[in-house]
Amino acid sequence: MTTSLLDTLRGGLIVSCQPVDNGPLDSIPAIVGFALAARDGGARALRIEGADNVAAVAKACDLPIIGIVKRDLSTSPVRITPYIEDVAALAAAGAHVIAVDATLRERPVAVAELLAAIRGYGRLAMADLSTIEEAHAAFAMGFDILGTTMSGYTGGSIPDGPDLAFVTANKALGGFVVAEGRYNSPSLAAAAILAGADAVCAGSAITRTEHVTGWFAKAVADADRRRGETVLAFDIGGTKTLAALVRGETVIDRRLVPTPPDVGSAGWFDAIADMAADWRGEYHVAGVAATGLVRDGLWNALNPGTLAIPPNTPLSGELARRLNCPIVARNDAQAAAWGEYQFGAGQQRDMAFVTVSSGIGGGIVLGGRLVEGARGLAGSLGQVQGSKGDLRLEDLASGFAMAATAGEAGLPEDTRLLFDAAKAGNTMAGKILDRSAARIATGLVDLQRLVDPQVVVVGGGVGLAPAFQAALHRSLELFDTGLRPHVVFAALGADAGLVGIGHLAQQSDAM
């Protein structure tokens, strides 16, 4: 019997059908209903409290039952099946397995006596445990099942998540392990199996409607509160810096200054923080979208010609100290990608974002998550080098590159004037524009090959210029339709970085 029942449980879900005490669903018919629903949903076994409930469920449902009796004792903290008569009642009611609190705490009956009684009735025995010391003792006694049920419940504050390490430690003993205790989502249940559990027992998330409703209600209320809160956002570029108050996708107030000199110095950080001096009290978290490489709050240059950032500048730490609030910092193009994903042209589809302006940057959002990469480089299309490995795409096709090429050809070193000249029929201006668009089109096709997003969003001052858009479309049409990305143009314009970093800061504050 032992082997066959444990084989039935192995790799399966056990549902604890225990409604909230004295709640509207705390009745035998409701518990039987929970049991039948769990069976129909694929549960392998049930955990039922109380002999009367066990008897009713055993009559209505053919799943194996782990039976317990809960008591609130004035002389002991032990609640789960503390007495021999509880074991007898559960056995008579039809429980296949009887679980007892096997913690090393003061108790009315010794664990060994309870185990002997369970054996006397021919039932399997489960030990509800809180420490590895208890697990060693229970395994040595011969309990059929080791349960992590009591981990986090024998003193101190109750953890938010389950104790996966305790699952692994129990499994190392060699027995049959049931992970139980705060496994309140499918992903956590799966994590328990990967941690070594033979089976997982879930309860509150399935049969305590009051608890589940409370989780959802709190999440909705918190999200609604955050949606209405104002975030301080910075967008730091090579030539200009924006500071703004952002709420959702709306920029409430903004100010623009030339990016201060002496990047990374104390005076530079003071100047950035002073942009928000009269907004103090209107925000409690801030986001920073910055050109260059941002990882773990440290800031480095990707292109020193754009902004000469000292190595490992502590961007988040220095601004957090001056603004007295948490800081979330990301690369500006990655932040803009998130803004377009959440509120703009991305429409919450898998997407790559490419900004073509003075430089070329980008970001990737897949599966609802901003992809930063191991070094924070993900999406940096402008840094991709050609086959010769000497020049990057940013050196060849950015706004700065086009302006420089125009100057060499005797034209004004200004992309707007270059586009006007191309529109007016200037052959050289048209060639410069077309050459840049063709190089970027090739980059977008390569990006499609590598990432294969649903959509590629193109933004930036150059990327949103009608003359450039037309040239880009002409170049893309030369590629096979199977390789050609679905290109759309950014909807948030210059605000994409502010909106994106504001939303990322809100999200971080909620965690």
Side-chain angles (χ1 to χ4, degrees):
M1 174 182 170
T2 299
T3 301
S4 61
L5 180 51
L6 295 184
D7 285 343
T8 297
L9 297 183
R10 185 169 283 109
L13 175 69
I14 302 164
V15 175
S16 180
C17 301
Q18 297 183 61
V20 173
D21 291 342
N22 301 313
L25 294 174
D26 188 11
S27 67
I28 289 177
I31 292 168
V32 169
F34 278 131
L36 295 173
R39 178 200 64 187
D40 294 347
R44 300 275 185 86
L46 307 166
R47 183 166 164 124
I48 306 292
E49 191 280 325
D52 291 343
N53 294 327
V54 168
V57 170
K59 183 177 179 181
C61 182
D62 57 358
L63 288 183
I65 297 171
I66 300 171
I68 65 171
V69 171
K70 285 185 177 178
R71 297 183 183 275
D72 291 313
L73 305 177
S74 60
T75 57
S76 171
V78 170
R79 297 186 69 221
I80 298 174
T81 322
Y83 293 120
I84 299 294
E85 52 263 39
D86 297 329
V87 172
L90 291 169
H96 303 80
V97 181
I98 295 175
V100 301
D101 180 321
T103 60
L104 298 176
R105 297 183 291 174
E106 185 177 352
R107 56 193 315 115
V109 177
V111 173
E113 294 180 37
L114 294 170
L115 176 59
I118 295 170
R119 289 278 183 258
Y121 288 106
R123 302 298 193 265
L124 272 64
M126 176 173 175
D128 290 344
L129 306 162
S130 68
T131 69
I132 191 61
E133 180 185 7
E134 295 162 356
H136 276 283
F139 183 70
M141 287 182 196
F143 273 89
D144 303 291
I145 299 172
L146 305 179
T148 63
T149 317
M150 299 304 297
S151 176
Y153 296 108
T154 58
S157 59
I158 298 173
D160 291 329
D163 191 346
L164 290 168
F166 190 38
V167 171
T168 303
N170 271 268
K171 190 58 186 174
L173 297 177
F176 190 96
V177 178
V178 170
E180 183 173 6
R182 304 180 298 282
Y183 290 93
N184 50 27
S185 72
S187 61
L188 290 175
I193 294 295
L194 294 176
D198 294 286
V200 181
C201 183
S204 294
I206 299 174
T207 63
R208 293 195 169 183
T209 306
E210 297 93 329
H211 290 184
V212 179
T213 302
W215 300 339
F216 277 88
K218 183 179 184 301
V220 169
D222 287 348
D224 185 61
R225 172 185 57 78
R226 294 194 305 274
R227 181 175 59 182
E229 289 179 345
T230 300
V231 176
L232 173 62
F234 294 94
D235 191 343
I236 302 173
T239 58
K240 59 188 178 182
T241 294
L242 270 167
L245 293 176
V246 179
R247 186 178 299 144
E249 62 186 295
T250 303
V251 177
I252 301 167
D253 196 3
R254 75 179 76 217
R255 50 203 52 163
L256 174 68
V257 301
T259 297
D262 300 323
V263 177
S265 66
W268 185 89
F269 278 111
D270 289 341
I272 297 296
D274 285 347
M275 293 180 70
D278 60 346
W279 288 335
R280 293 189 187 280
E282 297 188 46
Y283 59 88
H284 68 281
V285 65
V288 183
T291 186
L293 185 64
V294 183
R295 189 66 176 171
D296 297 328
L298 299 178
W299 192 24
N300 289 278
L302 274 175
N303 183 356
T306 300
L307 194 63
I309 306 160
N312 293 323
T313 296
L315 181 62
S316 295
E318 290 292 334
L319 284 177
R321 185 166 60 83
R322 287 165 171 82
L323 297 170
N324 195 31
C325 72
I327 301 289
V328 174
R330 298 289 187 276
N331 168 266
D332 54 354
Q334 290 179 342
W338 188 252
E340 288 291 341
Y341 170 79
Q342 282 289 339
F343 302 107
Q347 298 180 0
Q348 300 196 1
R349 295 172 286 182
D350 282 355
M351 59 165 275
F353 173 77
V354 177
T355 176
V356 186
S357 55
S358 300
I360 297 173
I364 297 169
V365 182
L366 298 176
R369 299 188 64 174
L370 178 65
V371 180
E372 297 179 68
R375 299 174 177 84
L377 287 166
S380 299
L381 186 64
Q383 306 306 309
V384 174
Q385 294 178 308
S387 58
K388 294 182 180 180
D390 51 351
L391 293 174
R392 302 163 301 169
L393 182 61
E394 186 171 87
D395 299 322
L396 297 169
S398 66
F400 278 156
M402 281 188 278
T405 304
E408 293 169 0
L411 297 171
E413 293 189 27
D414 185 295
T415 52
R416 293 182 184 177
L417 296 177
L418 178 70
F419 294 160
D420 289 342
K423 185 176 180 181
N426 185 292
T427 302
M428 180 56 67
K431 286 182 178 179
I432 294 171
L433 173 59
D434 286 342
R435 188 182 305 125
S436 175
R439 286 166 170 161
I440 291 173
T442 300
L444 297 186
V445 170
D446 286 343
L447 186 61
Q448 189 70 38
R449 288 187 177 109
L450 289 171
V451 181
D452 202 21
Q454 292 173 278
V455 62
V456 174
V457 180
V458 175
V462 172
L464 294 178
F468 177 84
Q469 292 177 354
L472 181 64
H473 277 308
R474 289 194 298 270
S475 293
L476 286 170
E477 287 173 359
L478 300 176
F479 290 91
D480 184 89
T481 55
L483 298 175
R484 193 185 309 162
H486 174 46
V487 173
V488 298
F489 293 95
L492 300 181
D495 288 344
L498 291 171
V499 169
I501 198 62
H503 191 266
L504 287 169
Q506 279 186 325
Q507 282 193 320
S508 176
D509 186 53
M511 296 178 180

